[in-house]
Amino acid sequence: MTPEQLRSFCVSFNAAAEEFPFPRVPEVSAFKVCGKIFALSTLDARPLTVNLKCEPEVAIRLRGDHPGLIVPGWHMNKRHWNTVTVDGDLPDQLVRELIEDSYDLVVAGLPRAERLRLDRA
């Protein structure tokens, strides 16, 4: 997956937007839905990685299934976030599924009114 493909996929979700909320590290893209981050990436970094939210049990399984490519989230809560290397060693389909799962987890945590508004959009 290229940086452009990663960006394009992340912003393709309903109400998703790319922001740059960290003045001290302006190159970090934060992909948000309703103000909540579901993906973080430095798109010009090599290797290309993305931090994604994940169910704790699934996070542990993924780390075991893909050692070195999926690791505890860098600068994130290690229980709920993974850092995923998306330089081509993982199938793009898996990366897309992990991004979608992260988006869905964040949406599920939004207030009911916001979830309903997203469903109608």
Side-chain angles (χ1 to χ4, degrees):
M1 180 174 281
T2 67
E4 296 78 23
Q5 290 170 325
L6 177 61
R7 173 184 281 128
S8 178
F9 189 69
C10 286
V11 298
S12 72
F13 295 101
N14 195 7
E18 179 181 21
E19 297 181 12
F20 301 90
F22 308 111
R24 293 177 58 195
V25 281
E27 65 277 9
V28 174
S29 293
F31 297 96
K32 297 182 174 185
V33 57
C34 298
K36 302 290 185 181
I37 295 172
F38 68 91
L40 278 172
S41 183
T42 303
L43 296 173
D44 60 357
R46 297 298 172 265
L48 178 60
T49 63
V50 61
N51 282 5
L52 300 169
K53 193 162 188 156
C54 194
E55 295 274 349
E57 302 78 29
V58 175
I60 291 168
R61 181 180 50 79
L62 287 166
R63 295 169 194 166
D65 291 348
H66 306 282
L69 297 174
I70 300 178
V71 297
W74 189 71
H75 278 289
M76 305 297 278
N77 179 320
K78 310 286 189 249
R79 179 169 156 78
H80 295 276
W81 290 82
N82 279 336
T83 297
V84 179
T85 301
V86 295
D87 65 358
D89 289 335
L90 287 176
D92 284 354
Q93 182 60 36
L94 174 60
V95 174
R96 284 190 292 272
E97 289 170 6
L98 295 174
I99 294 168
E100 185 173 1
D101 289 348
S102 182
Y103 174 87
D104 290 344
L105 281 170
V106 171
V107 168
L110 294 173
R112 184 174 184 270
E114 288 188 41
R115 289 193 317 268
L116 291 172
R117 192 167 28 90
L118 285 174
D119 287 342
R120 285 189 285 251

